[in-house]
Amino acid sequence: SSGINAEYGGRTFCKYSECKTHTQHKVTQYKAGKRNKKALGERRYRKKQMGFGGQTKPVFRKNAKSTKKQVLRMESQTSHKKKQDTLKRSKHNRHEEQKKK
């Protein structure tokens, strides 16, 4: 697998009404946000975990995949709208390596 091969400031199509043309995009890697402690599922889980009885929900341990799909988050430099693009699975993240140079 080839890893992320997008240059750090790629030109790609912006579909929003402000642009509707190829514009310069700032490319970053998608990262999941912080979990919200006030979300209903989180509150329900905390309530269920309280008291005696140990772990109440199953903890997933049979992980078959060794890699994750790489997701690029692109922000248009003109309209500042964001879009995401999913790439193939890869162990090495070329985008992060390019950024470090």
Side-chain angles (χ1 to χ4, degrees):
S1 59
S2 62
I4 294 180
N5 220 350
E7 60 274 9
Y8 189 54
R11 276 178 66 82
T12 185
F13 187 74
C14 181
K15 66 181 180 181
Y16 298 101
S17 58
E18 294 96 306
C19 302
K20 290 238 185 261
T21 179
H22 276 69
T23 57
Q24 197 70 22
H25 279 66
K26 191 172 111 185
V27 182
T28 53
Q29 192 182 4
Y30 166 78
K31 181 175 177 273
K34 200 172 102 175
R35 306 264 318 199
N36 186 358
K37 288 183 179 176
K38 294 176 186 162
L40 180 61
E42 193 69 35
R43 296 198 310 261
R44 191 180 286 145
Y45 177 71
R46 290 275 158 248
K47 183 82 175 152
K48 196 172 183 182
Q49 285 290 87
M50 283 200 292
F52 295 108
Q55 182 67 35
T56 57
K57 295 274 232 174
V59 177
F60 187 69
R61 290 202 177 93
K62 291 184 175 180
N63 197 3
K65 304 269 189 289
S66 62
T67 59
K68 288 192 172 189
K69 288 183 179 180
Q70 300 294 326
V71 179
L72 291 186
R73 190 165 178 267
M74 290 175 265
E75 183 183 348
S76 172
Q77 297 299 84
T78 51
S79 66
H80 297 286
K81 300 272 188 182
K82 294 158 190 77
K83 71 175 186 175
Q84 290 182 339
D85 192 13
T86 309
L87 301 175
K88 292 180 178 177
R89 295 179 176 277
S90 69
K91 292 197 176 190
H92 298 290
N93 186 343
R94 287 219 186 121
H95 178 259
E96 288 297 314
E97 290 167 14
Q98 269 186 339
K99 205 165 79 170
K100 286 176 190 170
K101 285 181 184 175

